[in-house]
Amino acid sequence: MKISILGAGSMGSGIAQVAAQSGHDVVLADTNQAQLETAKAKLAKIMARLVEKGKLTEEQASSIQGKIAYTTDQNDFAGSGMIIEAIVENLDIKKKVFANFESIVDEHCILATNTSSLSVASIAAACEHDHRVIGIHFFNPAPLMPLVEIIPAVQTSTEVTNKSKELIDSWKKVTVLAKDTPGFIVNRVARPFYGEALRIYEEGVADFATIDWAMTELGGFRMGPFTLMDYIGNDVNYTVTETVFAAFYYDPRYKPSFTQKRHSEAGWYGRKSGRGYYSYADGAEMPEPNKDEVLGQVILNRVLVMLINEAIDAVFLNIASEEDVDLAMTKGVNYPKGLLTWANEIGLQNVLSALEKLHHDYGEDRYRPSVLLRRMVAEGKTFF
């Protein structure tokens, strides 16, 4: 099957690599010729490194590179079995692009968007054959991150959903099915990892370094929230938070932080700008955390019960199955264990008690426990 990809940025070029390594002929298109040349050069470097490490032979590397055609002309998408769009997160632009796809390919070609936060149904609405539009959300970098969220719109046919899942499974990816709601699974469930950590800082409970230490050393997370936000970029992370907040009709659970807004406004994006919550200037020293385990456990538990509550609510609202929620968080953002599995270990009653105390102390709907959590505690149930 011929796979075509629109957008030669890091995401689009990464998806092109994955498809080519899985044996497909690939067309990678971008309006920017320089971007295409950059993508081609980067792939050559990646392939050379894989040969050096003995993971590929020179012949295999050469074959993979030869499978990708680079073009500025979307008409080269003709004859594709699937097109994956990986361009700017702008609904109007995406709708124009998808309407144009239909004039190039036949009605059996699956049209996929790699959007991380926009409505797949809205994108599908731009197409005459809206049943063949679907969300296929890769995580960056696509060749290394195992998770792919498959998001059927309300218009998407079961056949297209099944075919898409089978195809991405054949690329040796871990696929999860998610409902077409803001943030899908990962970007929705992960919001408290950032939001509650920022809230803890704003209340003066602990500084950035101490919160990061608690989450990594005591919680087992690969990166602390402030290190991770600096890695992602505070401009990007804040925009996603703002988008999710608005998309959920301003539910206080997803409320953005003024601290992150001010960092973004100041141009303190993180690693890419040389300064974020930490300084990345040459010779800059990372601040020392307060390694008080009692304090650290308080911080960790507060963020953790918020994450668990979000995961439980995703199951309650049929965003995804219990299994897919846990898979998404371990394979998509490298959590040390699935949040529902973690909830079982902590004890659902303990999770509920912690949330009820926060809800009582703050009087904010932000801390309301999920209805499903209340029901499971009342009925003595656990997940799985």
Side-chain angles (χ1 to χ4, degrees), residues 20 34 90 96 103 142 175 181 201 230 235 239 250 322 333 337-338 359 370:
N90 180 297
K96 283 177 190 167
S103 67
T175 56
T181 51
Y201 164 77
D230 274 357
D235 52 339
T239 299
Y250 305 101
E322 294 176 15
V333 276
K337 60 186 82 172
H359 195 228
S370 170

Side-chain angles (χ1 to χ4, degrees), residues 35-95:
Q35 185 72 64
L36 289 167
E37 288 165 11
T38 299
K40 190 173 185 178
K42 278 186 179 173
L43 179 64
K45 274 188 184 175
I46 291 165
M47 290 293 111
R49 208 174 302 132
L50 291 174
V51 170
E52 216 175 275
K53 290 179 176 177
K55 293 187 177 179
L56 291 175
T57 64
E58 291 213 7
E59 293 75 17
Q60 286 170 325
S62 178
S63 171
I64 290 162
Q65 290 173 87
K67 285 184 175 296
I68 304 177
Y70 300 83
T71 183
T72 56
D73 186 359
Q74 287 182 40
N75 288 315
D76 291 339
F77 289 173
S80 299
M82 176 183 278
I83 299 174
I84 302 173
E85 164 273 313
I87 60 170
V88 63
E89 286 284 82
N90 180 297
L91 186 58
D92 291 336
I93 294 173
K94 287 185 192 287
K95 289 177 87 161

Side-chain angles (χ1 to χ4, degrees), residues 3-279:
I3 305 289
S4 291
I5 294 149
L6 180 63
S10 61
M11 181 58 81
S13 56
I15 297 168
Q17 179 190 330
V18 172
Q21 282 182 304
S22 299
H24 296 275
D25 289 325
V26 178
V27 175
L28 180 60
D30 200 291
T31 54
N32 185 334
Q33 181 64 41
Q35 185 72 64
L36 289 167
E37 288 165 11
T38 299
K40 190 173 185 178
K42 278 186 179 173
L43 179 64
K45 274 188 184 175
I46 291 165
M47 290 293 111
R49 208 174 302 132
L50 291 174
V51 170
E52 216 175 275
K53 290 179 176 177
K55 293 187 177 179
L56 291 175
T57 64
E58 291 213 7
E59 293 75 17
Q60 286 170 325
S62 178
S63 171
I64 290 162
Q65 290 173 87
K67 285 184 175 296
I68 304 177
Y70 300 83
T71 183
T72 56
D73 186 359
Q74 287 182 40
N75 288 315
D76 291 339
F77 289 173
S80 299
M82 176 183 278
I83 299 174
I84 302 173
E85 164 273 313
I87 60 170
V88 63
E89 286 284 82
N90 180 297
L91 186 58
D92 291 336
I93 294 173
K94 287 185 192 287
K95 289 177 87 161
K96 283 177 190 167
V97 158
F98 272 73
N100 184 56
F101 287 160
E102 288 203 304
S103 67
I104 299 168
V105 295
D106 67 36
E107 65 187 75
H108 302 295
C109 177
I110 295 172
L111 306 181
T113 174
N114 185 60
T115 184
S116 60
S117 58
L118 298 176
S119 159
V120 181
S122 292
I123 296 167
C127 297
E128 187 181 337
H129 301 287
D130 57 3
H131 70 279
R132 43 92 168 264
V133 177
I134 192 164
I136 299 182
H137 179 219
F138 289 79
F139 289 77
N140 212 2
L144 299 180
M145 295 302 287
L147 187 78
V148 179
E149 293 177 319
I150 307 287
I151 309 105
V154 290
Q155 305 100 310
T156 310
S157 71
T158 303
E159 183 187 5
V160 165
T161 302
N162 291 342
K163 276 187 179 176
S164 300
K165 190 175 188 308
E166 284 167 18
L167 177 67
I168 306 302
D169 282 341
S170 76
W171 295 1
K172 297 184 173 63
K173 292 295 182 185
V174 175
T175 56
V176 290
L177 282 171
K179 190 187 279 188
D180 182 17
T181 51
F184 312 132
I185 304 172
V186 172
N187 280 326
R188 176 195 185 128
V189 173
R191 293 338 300 161
F193 189 71
Y194 315 109
E196 202 58 25
L198 282 157
R199 183 73 176 261
I200 289 166
Y201 164 77
E202 288 174 344
E203 290 173 12
V205 175
D207 60 14
F208 304 139
T210 300
I211 296 168
D212 276 358
W213 169 80
M215 298 306 292
T216 55
E217 294 303 312
L218 302 182
F221 289 88
R222 190 169 291 186
M223 279 191 199
F226 296 99
T227 303
L228 183 53
M229 285 185 280
D230 274 357
Y231 181 79
I232 294 166
N234 279 299
D235 52 339
V236 174
N237 191 265
Y238 178 76
T239 299
V240 171
T241 302
E242 206 173 36
T243 303
V244 170
F245 184 49
F248 276 107
Y249 307 111
Y250 305 101
D251 186 325
R253 275 171 29 199
Y254 309 107
K255 189 176 179 181
S257 155
F258 280 115
T259 296
Q260 189 170 36
K261 182 176 171 64
R262 294 295 180 259
H263 274 67
S264 184
E265 289 168 344
W268 290 5
Y269 303 142
R271 288 184 177 275
K272 65 185 175 185
S273 67
R275 177 154 188 181
Y277 299 109
Y278 304 110
S279 173

Side-chain angles (χ1 to χ4, degrees), residues 149 244 350 353 368:
E149 293 177 319
V244 170
N350 292 331
S353 297
R368 69 184 186 275

Side-chain angles (χ1 to χ4, degrees), residues 279-295:
S279 173
Y280 300 93
D282 288 344
E285 289 186 16
M286 294 298 277
E288 281 295 315
N290 172 8
K291 296 183 180 180
D292 180 330
E293 291 206 14
V294 175
L295 173 65

